[in-house]
Amino acid sequence: KAGVTQTPRYLIKTRGQQVTLSCSPISGHRSVSWYQQTPGQGLQFLFEYFSETQRNKGNFPGRFSGRQFSNSRSEMNVSTLELGDSALYLCASSRQGSEAFFGQGTRLTVV
Amino acid sequence: GESVGLHLPTLSVQEGDNSIINCAYSNSASDYFIWYKQESGKGPQFIIDIRSNMDKRQGQRVTVLLNKTVKHLSLQIAATQPGDSAVYFCAENTGSNYQLIWGAGTKLIIKP
């Protein structure tokens, strides 16, 4: 079956702009989590959605938001982009209580 | 706060030797642990997991050991190959929610 799909793969934005990233989970997976990964850093948890509800949230400013649709697809939005938002954004889907499967990520560069 | 940390940020191993990657966790309530491998330009890939009611689990060329007494997790890779070059992350879950808590990662370098 198809894996986790993230679009777009690469994105270049200007400071102050906003961006929306998309994630399509594995069929049957209702949990979708988002992570930020900066060079040489680990994975920083952004938020997790389950059945269209945000169930967990990491320690990121309110400029970072997300949502999940009834088909479990998820989007995350970053408003008023800053240079420090440049990172690889990873989406992971899972069945409840099991391992997470990651997409290839969206590489966001803010200039 | 809760944290998962790795002892060594970089590990160099001779091809064919065994690799051991270590991870410490601080939350004694964690009951599920996972190891992921992330190759350059790719998302993390699941390797192996273990629940707290076990202290050892084996996969293909990999073994995870869990020592709950000292809150330590390790990943052993047998006969390390060039394709094992990657960053390895451990993650834990307390079971109270479904958020994984991640370590910083260890970069495994294979010497020919």
Side-chain angles (χ1 to χ4, degrees), chain B residues 8-108:
Chain B
L8 298 172
T10 302
L11 178 65
S12 292
V13 177
Q14 202 73 37
E15 183 179 348
D17 287 352
N18 296 336
S19 302
I20 301 176
I21 301 171
N22 297 303
C23 182
Y25 64 96
S26 59
N27 189 341
S28 57
S30 293
D31 60 1
Y32 181 57
F33 305 87
I34 315 175
W35 281 100
Y36 283 87
K37 170 186 180 182
Q38 186 175 24
E39 296 174 274
S40 180
K42 298 183 179 180
Q45 181 181 13
F46 171 86
I47 301 173
I48 191 168
D49 60 1
I50 189 167
R51 298 204 177 269
S52 59
N53 60 351
M54 302 172 69
D55 53 22
K56 180 179 180 179
R57 192 167 187 217
Q58 288 185 291
Q60 187 177 15
R61 277 201 311 119
V62 295
T63 301
V64 56
L65 298 177
L66 176 62
N67 185 331
K68 293 181 287 292
T69 302
V70 295
K71 289 183 280 190
H72 184 267
L73 188 70
S74 69
L75 177 71
Q76 299 178 4
I77 304 173
T80 310
Q81 303 170 357
D84 295 328
S85 293
V87 177
Y88 290 81
F89 293 95
C90 62
E92 64 175 314
N93 186 287
T94 64
S96 60
N97 60 45
Y98 299 94
Q99 176 187 339
L100 289 174
I101 301 171
W102 294 81
T106 292
K107 184 174 184 178
L108 180 63

Side-chain angles (χ1 to χ4, degrees), chain A residues 14-91:
Chain A
T14 306
R15 272 179 301 175
Q17 288 186 309
Q18 67 94 27
V19 66
T20 299
L21 312 181
S22 180
C23 173
S24 293
I26 291 172
S27 178
H29 287 190
R30 295 166 65 190
S31 171
V32 174
S33 298
W34 288 90
Y35 297 85
Q36 182 195 66
Q37 186 176 38
T38 49
Q41 298 296 311
L43 292 154
Q44 303 297 317
F45 173 75
L46 281 155
F47 27 67
E48 186 242 354
Y49 286 87
F50 183 84
S51 293
E52 302 179 66
T53 300
Q54 187 181 87
R55 194 161 58 173
N56 292 298
K57 190 177 190 304
N59 188 26
F60 276 81
R63 299 186 297 107
F64 292 80
S65 63
R67 59 178 176 169
Q68 186 180 33
F69 302 95
S70 57
N71 62 357
S72 293
R73 190 177 71 84
S74 178
E75 290 180 346
M76 68 161 281
N77 184 279
V78 187
S79 62
T80 320
L81 283 165
E82 300 176 1
L83 295 179
D85 296 332
S86 295
L88 178 68
Y89 289 88
L90 290 160
C91 165

